[in-house]
Amino acid sequence: MEVNHFILALISLSCLFSVSANAPPPLSIAFSLASSELYDMIEVMSESPSPFAFDGTTLKSIDDLLSILPGGVDPALQQICGNTDHPVECIIATMPFLDENAPIEPLSVLKAGIKAMDNQTKNALAEVTKLSMDPTTPKTIVPILQTCIDVYNSILNSDQKSLEAISNHNLVQLSTELGTNVENVLGCDNAFKQAKIESPMKDMDTMLANIISNTLTIGVDMVHF
């Protein structure tokens, strides 16, 4: 993957095609880039552990991200994500899910973050389910993988309740559900740690945990109904 392709993909993040069947429709296109290339870029970004590294370029902060871009990231999104603990992940995760018809403000970024969390969780759930059904997987690990399945289903359930809380303008319920996910996401990795086994879900869980942390910060500190 060339750096130029990565740059074009990030510039075009505002017009990304969906990465799953439930992702939002494509936004207006500012640069011409094949949808398959966009899919591949987001696939890599969503699976890469943090900090992100591309062709020798390590992205630890928004400044690092913007340093390789001539432009293209909305200043409002930069400001909101800059106030989270994981700003690069915030930008990369939320941009494909932003509503092109809504202003970029904490509430719209929060909704995009929850959708990104939902998408990442579904990817993790598919992966851990595949591992649990693989006949070569040691039988001693299968119960741990089942714990992970339960964890991811709990997160998906909380995601829906979070969106319902937003619709109902219920900040208490919203904070509760987002906070619950902070605890939920630790469950899979903790189960493997207790068994003294390296988790095969570690990288995906790291990205998921960062998305969850960001949504909690935005939901609790920035959103006001």
Side-chain angles (χ1 to χ4, degrees):
M1 183 182 303
E2 298 178 357
V3 174
N4 287 341
H5 283 180
F6 172 57
I7 291 174
L8 284 174
L10 284 174
I11 294 173
S12 305
L13 278 172
S14 61
C15 63
L16 283 173
F17 296 92
S18 63
V19 296
S20 72
N22 295 324
L27 308 183
S28 59
I29 300 178
F31 291 84
S32 178
L33 191 62
S35 60
S36 61
E37 290 183 73
L38 288 171
Y39 182 93
D40 290 343
M41 290 293 179
I42 293 303
E43 188 88 355
V44 170
M45 283 187 277
S46 66
E47 293 178 359
S48 297
S50 179
F52 298 95
F54 295 93
D55 297 307
T57 302
T58 301
L59 309 176
K60 295 181 180 179
S61 67
I62 288 181
D63 288 340
D64 290 339
L65 178 63
L66 298 180
S67 69
I68 63 172
L69 296 176
V73 180
D74 191 288
L77 182 61
Q78 292 179 40
Q79 182 177 8
I80 293 169
C81 287
N83 287 317
T84 67
D85 290 333
H86 310 283
V88 173
E89 289 89 335
C90 178
I91 290 177
I92 290 174
T94 59
M95 287 193 73
F97 297 93
L98 287 170
D99 184 348
E100 65 173 336
N101 297 315
I104 296 181
E105 57 187 13
L107 184 58
S108 63
V109 176
L110 174 62
K111 288 180 179 178
I114 293 173
K115 291 176 182 177
M117 185 199 316
D118 199 74
N119 187 71
Q120 179 74 2
T121 304
K122 287 176 180 176
N123 288 339
L125 181 59
E127 179 65 21
V128 77
T129 299
K130 182 174 71 174
L131 288 173
S132 69
M133 298 178 67
D134 189 333
T136 65
T137 298
K139 292 184 179 180
T140 54
I141 296 181
V142 172
I144 303 176
L145 294 174
Q146 183 58 54
T147 297
C148 296
I149 290 173
D150 294 342
V151 164
Y152 298 139
N153 280 323
S154 294
I155 293 174
L156 291 175
N157 184 50
S158 287
D159 288 347
Q160 294 308 306
K161 290 182 179 179
S162 294
L163 292 174
E164 291 173 7
I166 291 174
S167 298
N168 296 329
H169 291 184
N170 189 331
L171 276 176
V172 174
Q173 182 186 1
L174 177 61
S175 299
T176 298
E177 296 302 334
L178 294 176
T180 296
N181 276 343
V182 172
E183 296 181 6
N184 283 339
V185 74
L186 300 175
C188 181
D189 193 54
N190 284 342
F192 276 101
K193 284 181 178 177
Q194 289 175 3
K196 297 181 180 180
I197 301 172
E198 181 78 11
S199 172
M201 306 302 298
K202 186 175 182 179
D203 288 347
M204 297 190 79
D205 279 352
T206 296
M207 182 61 177
L208 180 57
N210 291 342
I211 295 173
I212 290 174
S213 171
N214 289 341
T215 58
L216 179 64
T217 298
I218 295 171
V220 172
D221 297 342
M222 305 182 207
V223 171
H224 306 285
F225 296 130

